[in-house]
Amino acid sequence: MRVSDSIYLDYQASTPADTRVVEAMLPYFTDSFGNPHSSNHILGWKSADSIESARYEVASLVGALPEEIVFTSGATEANNHAIFGVLAGNQTDRKTILISAIEHKCVKEAAYFFARQFGHRIMEVPVLESGLVDRAAFLSLLTDDVVLVSVMAVNNEIGTIQDVAWLAEHAKRVGAIFHCDAAQAPEAIDLDVVELGIDLLSLSAHKIYGPKGVGALYIESSLQNDFLPLVHGGGQQSGLRSGTLPTPLCVGFGVAASIIRKEGIQNRERLQELSFGLLENLRRANVIFSINGDAINRHPGNLNLEFPGIEAESLINMLQPSICASTGSACNSGIIQSSYVLRSIGLSEERASASIRFSVGRFSDEEQLVEAANKIAIAISSISP
Ligand SMILES: Cc1ncc(COP(=O)(O)O)c(C=O)c1O
């Protein structure tokens, strides 16, 4: 995808909304704008019906029942709610939460915050060089004190796809609840919460060509009685998440979910070819690089590349406005810190600081990737020591 002069290679940060999604959303801003919780009139009923259809589509994407889907403002809220809901409603003496070392910041921060509030402790499960959870370490930390295990399905920086079924099976064996942050998953893998044994699962619409500002938390039916709301108010969504639902956003999310469910598989093959194509183009342009993360269990559109000896921040700056990609580093109090995900898979500070995530998506094509590789090659040769 090109936006003016820019080639967009940052689909894992956010995807553009599909035009089919936008078209479906538009009438709900102006004509069918009724409050979906207004039960006295036709416009309220229309909004409510459309939201329930969207809920059905989101549920179908992950093999859940519609009543197990709670719309949220995004995956950040869904992840916060998953952790809060379990800890606040915990009726057992269990006090440990296991998360992987490469969870998204919103799982990590929420887990540490709520653990402090509720007197729980967090254990971080290390990952291997591939980004896959270290199974031996996981099993050794998995005691019957664990109340919640939270491991993402697909990593946002290095694209590693975890063996969720195996993790969930072992979590269940010790009686823990299994939460999965699947914000990055629908483009990469098929999801079926029943087959995978997932109790709680988070989704985000803007990672699947839907609008920003909406996501969902799947809460398995039998957990819902002990699961406490994070947002209180009018008791919407069966009291699990109060607040007037944003009809256009939910409708857009529903359409995005339906498109990715129907077209996802063909698109995955295309993404894989495009990613390989970018690597090939870089090699042809004599760019030296290595790939971070797993070679096989990987999001087909993700390429996290290390350019030895190159300062990734400077390279990305040089590539503006031509290429949109990201480094995964964070700026804390004016100091740039390299990605904790890359450091968790064993990269030194220097190697992590030389790495960039490129992610291709539905609107990427070969021509863009040839041009991107050439631009990267020119930029690197101009800053190479
Ligand atoms: C793995 C993962 N989890 C959660 C989030 C947060 O999603 P949202 O932007 O919908 O809050 C993201 C977004 O970057 C993500 O990649």
Side-chain angles (χ1 to χ4, degrees):
M1 179 180 185
R2 279 176 205 270
V3 181
S4 311
D5 291 335
S6 308
I7 297 172
Y8 189 72
L9 296 178
D10 205 12
Y11 280 81
Q12 282 191 275
S14 193
T15 53
D18 193 294
T19 49
R20 292 168 285 182
V21 167
V22 178
E23 272 164 29
M25 288 171 65
L26 287 177
Y28 294 93
F29 286 105
T30 47
D31 300 336
S32 303
F33 61 87
N35 185 322
H37 313 290
S38 294
S39 53
N40 298 118
H41 57 74
I42 180 82
L43 286 185
W45 303 337
K46 273 192 176 172
S47 286
D49 281 353
S50 306
I51 284 181
E52 290 322 307
S53 305
R55 201 187 299 278
Y56 172 83
E57 292 299 345
V58 173
S60 302
L61 177 66
V62 297
L65 299 170
E67 56 271 27
E68 294 175 316
I69 296 296
V70 173
F71 284 117
T72 63
S73 61
T76 298
E77 184 189 322
N79 287 334
N80 272 264
H81 193 184
I83 295 163
F84 170 83
V86 171
L87 301 200
N90 182 14
Q91 310 277 348
T92 71
D93 297 333
R94 294 168 182 249
K95 290 285 180 207
T96 302
I97 307 165
L98 291 191
I99 63 172
S100 88
I102 58 169
E103 290 306 300
H104 190 274
K105 269 267 162 94
C106 64
V107 166
K108 275 201 168 193
E109 295 295 321
Y112 279 101
F113 178 80
F114 291 124
R116 262 196 313 275
Q117 301 287 315
F118 293 102
H120 286 55
R121 65 173 182 158
I122 307 277
M123 304 290 280
E124 288 197 24
V125 187
V127 295
L128 307 171
E129 203 186 328
S130 58
L132 289 166
V133 163
D134 180 334
R135 288 186 174 205
F138 177 66
L139 292 177
S140 73
L141 293 170
L142 199 58
T143 64
D144 58 12
D145 191 55
V146 176
V147 60
L148 174 70
V149 174
S150 181
V151 180
M152 69 205 315
V154 178
N155 184 264
N156 45 304
E157 288 188 42
I158 51 175
T160 301
I161 299 172
Q162 301 292 346
D163 187 345
V164 170
W166 185 89
L167 294 161
E169 186 191 329
H170 286 277
K172 297 294 195 39
R173 188 175 47 74
V174 297
I177 293 170
F178 186 79
H179 167 246
C180 182
D181 174 1
Q184 297 285 347
E187 180 131 271
I189 52 169
D190 292 340
L191 288 167
D192 185 312
V193 285
V194 178
E195 259 176 38
L196 295 169
I198 296 171
D199 300 309
L200 298 162
L201 175 135
S202 306
L203 292 169
S204 173
H206 76 97
K207 307 286 184 186
I208 59 165
Y209 309 91
K212 291 173 185 58
V214 64
L217 178 63
Y218 153 77
I219 311 172
E220 198 267 330
S221 308
S222 67
L223 287 184
Q224 292 189 7
N225 281 345
D226 291 333
F227 202 80
L228 296 189
L230 182 61
V231 180
H232 299 262
Q236 290 92 342
Q237 302 200 82
S238 310
L240 284 166
R241 201 271 194 179
S242 287
T244 303
L245 280 169
T247 316
L249 300 184
C250 295
V251 167
F253 188 11
V255 175
S258 147
I259 294 173
I260 209 154
R261 183 164 62 87
K262 292 177 188 144
E263 300 176 6
I265 294 177
Q266 301 103 285
N267 203 45
R268 276 174 214 152
E269 285 164 18
R270 225 188 114 251
L271 294 186
Q272 191 67 77
E273 281 166 22
L274 289 170
S275 300
F276 287 156
L278 179 59
L279 295 181
E280 204 38 53
N281 295 332
L282 287 172
R283 284 191 193 106
R284 262 193 233 130
N286 296 320
V287 175
I288 296 167
F289 64 87
S290 60
I291 304 174
N292 296 320
D294 198 81
I296 298 159
N297 302 301
R298 184 181 199 106
H299 187 305
N302 171 285
L303 287 172
N304 193 308
L305 305 181
E306 179 197 342
F307 301 100
I310 300 291
E311 183 55 55
E313 290 285 328
S314 316
L315 178 57
I316 293 243
N317 276 339
M318 275 201 77
L319 288 167
Q320 297 317 300
S322 308
I323 294 175
C324 299
S326 83
T327 59
S329 52
C331 187
N332 289 326
S333 321
I335 299 164
I336 295 183
Q337 288 180 324
S338 65
S339 149
Y340 65 89
V341 171
L342 295 179
R343 279 181 279 114
S344 297
I345 61 169
L347 264 62
S348 63
E349 186 70 32
E350 193 192 336
R351 291 186 60 196
S353 304
S355 299
I356 296 181
R357 175 192 69 188
F358 299 96
S359 44
V360 299
R362 191 176 288 172
F363 306 109
S364 301
D365 65 29
E366 242 178 85
E367 191 199 327
Q368 293 162 25
L369 298 179
V370 170
E371 190 179 326
N374 290 338
K375 293 215 148 103
I376 295 165
I378 293 168
I380 287 183
S381 64
S382 75
I383 53 174
S384 281

